Structures are given as structure tokens and as C-alpha cells.
Amino acid sequence: VELSCIIKSTVTPDPRIEWKKIRDGETSYVFFDNKMQGDFVTRAEILSRTSLVIKNTTRMDTATYRCEVAAPSDTKTIDEINIQLTVQ
């Protein structure tokens, strides 16, 4: 599955991008400090700098995924998008 976090425009040369997984009230990192975290290390990757691709998804991947972008040189310095993923 591919989850997209599209950055339309930014003046910050290299905005910080983080992906988090929120499930049952618990938040865990998926992509932090420019690397995959936890069980995503072996089965996920970042495409085009912003899209999260999770391979071999299972029902355990059902959650809300949050993409957070920090762009300190921009007028809006931080923004986020939540994507609800349901694996049948």
C-alpha cells in the first residue's frame, strides 16, 4: 500500500518528514530521523521523499497514519495529514 504525503510548495530546502502510526490510542514511529523504525524497517520504504510504501500489509497495519512535515523557513512551519488505513 502507498500512503502519500504531498508537499505542494516550501521554501525550506530540506523539510523534516515523519510518519507515525496511531492504533488503539498508542502512537509509534514508522519513519523518524530519516530511517524506518520498528517492524517497518524490513517491509516499508519512502518513495519520492514523501510517500510511505508498506509491503505485505496485514490487519495489524490497520491504523491512522500521520505524516508530519516541519519546514522552519516557511510561513506555516509545521503541518500534518492523517490517513486512515483499513486492511480487510
Side-chain angles (χ1 to χ4, degrees):
V1 66
E2 182 176 347
L3 307 178
S4 294
C5 180
I6 298 169
I7 301 171
K8 291 186 178 181
S9 65
T10 182
V11 295
T12 301
D14 192 18
R16 187 183 81 236
I17 299 167
E18 296 175 359
W19 280 92
K20 296 177 182 176
K21 177 182 177 181
I22 305 161
R23 181 182 167 114
D24 299 329
E26 297 286 322
T27 302
S28 58
Y29 282 108
V30 175
F31 182 74
F32 177 73
D33 200 20
N34 286 321
K35 58 184 176 249
M36 289 298 163
Q37 304 292 316
D39 70 326
F40 292 98
V41 169
T42 58
R43 59 189 194 94
E45 64 182 320
I46 296 293
L47 290 182
S48 303
R49 209 169 65 93
T50 58
S51 293
L52 173 66
V53 176
I54 305 171
K55 302 170 190 169
N56 303 318
T57 54
T58 68
R59 280 183 256 145
M60 291 301 296
D61 294 314
T62 295
T64 299
Y65 289 82
R66 177 181 295 149
C67 174
E68 297 178 0
V69 179
S73 300
D74 288 28
T75 305
K76 189 171 188 178
T77 58
I78 192 161
D79 206 356
E80 65 184 42
I81 185 172
N82 290 316
I83 301 169
Q84 180 63 46
L85 174 65
T86 303
V87 181
Q88 299 286 328

